[in-house]
Amino acid sequence: IPDALVIVSDPNQDQIHLEAIVVTDQFKDLTLVMQHRKVMNILKESFNTNDLHALKLATYTFDKWRQINGEEL
């Protein structure tokens, strides 16, 4: 997603079970499910080839991020 800020962590240090925070205004007016689908569709090939097994995902617009965290990115 071109304007997105993406923060990825690898808590298991195995490179296939990841956590990601994705912040973009392209999520405006999308339900949470639609936001997650947008990200997961981009990663579909990685899941299909087992390069990625699991992803804990959090998605936000920039406004929502500021509301929750009280800070700019």
Side-chain angles (χ1 to χ4, degrees):
I1 303 173
D3 74 333
L5 172 72
V6 181
I7 303 167
V8 179
S9 63
D10 185 2
N12 296 340
Q13 297 181 341
D14 62 5
Q15 299 180 11
I16 61 170
H17 298 88
L18 304 179
E19 296 180 1
I21 298 170
V22 181
V23 184
T24 177
D25 284 334
Q26 289 190 36
F27 292 150
K28 268 187 184 160
D29 300 322
L30 297 180
T31 66
L32 184 61
V33 171
M34 292 168 70
Q35 294 173 20
H36 284 218
R37 281 185 184 153
K38 187 174 187 82
V39 174
M40 297 304 280
N41 282 337
I42 294 168
L43 298 172
K44 186 184 285 189
E45 184 64 27
S46 293
F47 278 103
N48 288 343
T49 59
N50 293 323
D51 289 336
L52 183 57
H53 177 73
L55 178 66
K56 180 180 176 184
L57 183 59
T59 57
Y60 306 94
T61 62
F62 285 102
D63 285 342
K64 189 67 169 179
W65 177 266
R66 281 188 288 275
Q67 288 174 4
I68 292 170
N69 296 290
E71 62 185 48
E72 297 285 329
L73 292 172

